[in-house]
Amino acid sequence: MALIVHKYGGTSMGSIERIKNVARRVAKWRAAGHQIVVVPSAMSGETNRLIGLARELQEQPDPRELDMIAATGEQVSVGLLAMALKAIGVDARSYAGWQVPVRTDSSYTKARISSIDDQRIRADLDAGRVVIVAGFQGVDDAGNITTLGRGGSDTSAVAVAAALNAAECLIYTDVDGVYTTDPRVVPEARRLSVISFEEMLEMASLGSKVLQIRSVEFAGKYRVPTRVLSSLTDPLIALDEEMKSGTLITFEEDEKMESAVVSGIAFSRDEAKITVLAVPDKPGIAYSILGPVAAANIDVDMIVQNQSVAGTTDFSFTVHRNEFQKALDVLNGQVLPAVGGREVVADNKVCKVSIVGIGMRSHVGVASLMFKTLSEEGINIQMISTSEIKTSVIVDDKYMELAVRALHKAFGLDQAA
Ligand code: ADP
Ligand code: ASP
Ligand code: MG
């Protein structure tokens, strides 16, 4: 008997019929003698609908109230799933995040989990129940409801698995694993049977929404065995077959994984590029520009400062597209008058395309093949950033799919390994 956490995403919970299938799958695991905690997302489209309602009232919705509204999607899911389980004779009990409680900080819409109390969950498991914990939500120390950022149910599930020291966290979704790139964009993409933790962390941070980045961070920090697999198979397929399916995140690098130089391609449209032109090239300039941006709680990603000409330089960086206007307001309102640059120019029609692979550590020429491939497609590179196991470029977002397809081919990812 093992304690196992299941997470089901929006599509997997998308209709009453699908929820019944989730219940059948969970019942199968329970019948095999396992203790099961389920962390579901809201039904597909529901979180968008709720946020849309809020935006009808306020263009920039009040963050506390937005979380109050957005968290309701998961509350519906947990209740429905508990009913579906009871209807087939499985004792189950649902919990909202605050009831567990799943404690978070107070950063509404992107809160971080600080601790999870396991007492109620364990008591129910000991009483033979399936426990259903709402994903995506928690409660801060003052009792306010918070949410964990889009895709946050992944993080809820892995964090619950870590808190309970679960044997495995199974992330059931609408694809049957982690692919070399998003299979909806590149049909030739191949499923990886394993992916290293470091590569998964990069893929997630660079935009592959199959797992929220913080879920991967939790998996690494607490060494939670985590597998991504399909919720759309026959819920009654044999357990041993299901346990081997999908993609396992591994914490050890084996030789086979080293042999693939590039394991995957990630991309993100959530990008915006901002340049402050002709700022004085002197000590403290990066701080004068990015200090106020950080103080406004805006995350900055790539940063480029050019060689100065006649004592001035151009300073560029990227932010999440959602925070583009807020960043521009800070720059025009506070930074420009203080540092004395010429003007702020900006473009929110850019995207980031990245190649990822631990094999890049030991191979040269990987980035240059990336640049050659993009140049052959006539795609202009606006910014570049590298780390040991990834190279990312910012390009015009109309070229995103072309760039991803061309790179997928150039690095041989459509060929069987
Ligand atoms: P869920 O609702 O189950 O959380 P998401 O929509 O958040 O599902 O994530 C699954 C989706 O992630 C897939 O449908 C796929 O389009 C997308 N995706 C992006 N990159 C990848 C990748 N490398 N491998 C698999 N899926 C990916
Ligand atoms: N329902 C939330 C969202 O749509 C959380 C999740 O699906 O993981 O972002
Ligand atoms: Mg998701």
Side-chain angles (χ1 to χ4, degrees), residues 7 10 41-42 47 74 136 149-154:
K7 182 260 172 178
S41 298
T47 308
E74 272 70 12
F136 183 52
R150 299 309 304 269
S153 297
D154 298 328

Side-chain angles (χ1 to χ4, degrees), residues 7 9-10 41 150-154 171 173 209-212:
K7 182 260 172 178
S41 298
R150 299 309 304 269
S153 297
D154 298 328
I171 309 276
T173 182
K209 72 165 184 168
V210 62
L211 286 178
Q212 196 199 39

